[in-house]
Amino acid sequence: MASSKAARVGEEVWKTRVDKVNAELVTLTYGTLVAQLCSDFDSNYAEVNKQLDKMGYNIGMRLIEDFFAKSGSQRCANLRETAEAISKIGFKIFLNISPTVTNWSADNKQFSLIFEENPLADFVELPDDGKAQDELWYSNILCGILRGALDMVQMQVEAHYVSDVLRGNDTTEMRVTLLRYIEDEMPPDDE
């Protein structure tokens, strides 16, 4: 799917087929969730990151069905098409943003998503405890969502942040790496 077609599809779905939720409600609810995790795990930010990723993975496994139902998209032919669909359709449908796809690796198995805006991070200041700025990836749930959604379409990926404006970086960048295509496998003892 060409980038411009993906952008049109994303915009069309956003305008006509998506129930809107107040962005501030989402931001505040997500902020409360992250704050509670920080409290539950006594500011062990590595564990908070892991829990956000795990939650996101479970969300992504279910969100992919909604994505296909709303967008009418077909299976992508390769990782480049998948990246464009994620950026121009997926993020547009669910967060009304379109991160930039860039920094492709030579083997076309890695790319970056650059976020000009991140509605999850609006009104957010990381805890000033000397650790959060270096250890907490506040929007890590998005990495898990990508992993879960792509697992459901037989693409095992790793997704992680390499920079975040909340940490004082100039941009928010998520790096996505294709690990392998998952073959349909029969369970053991199943004929």
Side-chain angles (χ1 to χ4, degrees), residues 66-77:
D66 202 28
F67 169 83
F68 283 123
K70 288 181 178 171
S71 70
S73 294
Q74 300 299 313
R75 184 178 211 113
C76 297

Side-chain angles (χ1 to χ4, degrees), residues 10-183:
E11 192 64 38
E12 174 67 21
V13 172
W14 171 254
K15 287 180 180 175
T16 61
R17 293 186 228 159
V18 175
D19 295 329
K20 310 296 188 291
V21 176
N22 183 303
E24 291 165 351
L25 174 64
V26 172
T27 300
L28 295 173
T29 303
Y30 183 72
T32 302
L33 170 75
V34 174
Q36 186 62 51
L37 285 172
C38 290
S39 173
D40 290 351
F41 293 104
D42 296 322
S43 299
N44 177 348
Y45 298 120
E47 187 61 31
V48 172
N49 293 336
K50 189 186 317 181
Q51 291 300 316
L52 289 171
D53 183 78
K54 186 176 176 181
M55 288 177 187
Y57 183 86
N58 291 327
I59 292 168
M61 289 177 63
R62 288 157 184 79
L63 207 59
I64 191 70
E65 293 174 21
D66 202 28
F67 169 83
F68 283 123
K70 288 181 178 171
S71 70
S73 294
Q74 300 299 313
R75 184 178 211 113
C76 297
N78 56 44
L79 188 60
R80 279 193 179 269
E81 282 187 17
T82 302
E84 289 299 325
I86 290 167
S87 170
K88 306 284 189 303
I89 303 172
F91 276 104
K92 185 67 177 179
I93 290 172
F94 298 111
L95 291 176
N96 193 27
I97 60 173
S98 295
T100 304
V101 179
T102 188
N103 299 333
W104 281 95
S105 64
D107 63 0
N108 286 323
K109 291 188 176 188
Q110 293 184 346
F111 64 91
S112 291
L113 293 170
I114 307 292
F115 295 83
E116 299 298 323
E117 56 186 319
N118 178 358
L120 295 181
D122 287 347
F123 318 115
V124 173
E125 290 183 18
L126 296 181
D128 188 18
D129 62 1
K131 292 179 7 182
Q133 292 285 339
D134 297 326
E135 298 175 15
L136 179 62
W137 294 106
Y138 183 80
S139 300
N140 211 44
I141 198 165
L142 296 178
C143 294
I145 289 171
L146 279 183
R147 284 189 328 98
L150 292 176
D151 256 15
M152 297 306 289
V153 293
Q154 281 75 41
M155 297 177 82
Q156 184 179 19
V157 300
E158 176 192 295
H160 65 276
Y161 283 97
V162 294
S163 65
D164 190 343
V165 295
L166 291 176
R167 289 177 154 204
N169 302 113
D170 293 335
T171 61
T172 299
E173 177 180 349
M174 181 193 297
R175 191 79 178 147
V176 180
T177 304
L178 175 65
L179 301 175
R180 69 183 181 106
Y181 289 99
I182 303 168
E183 301 297 325

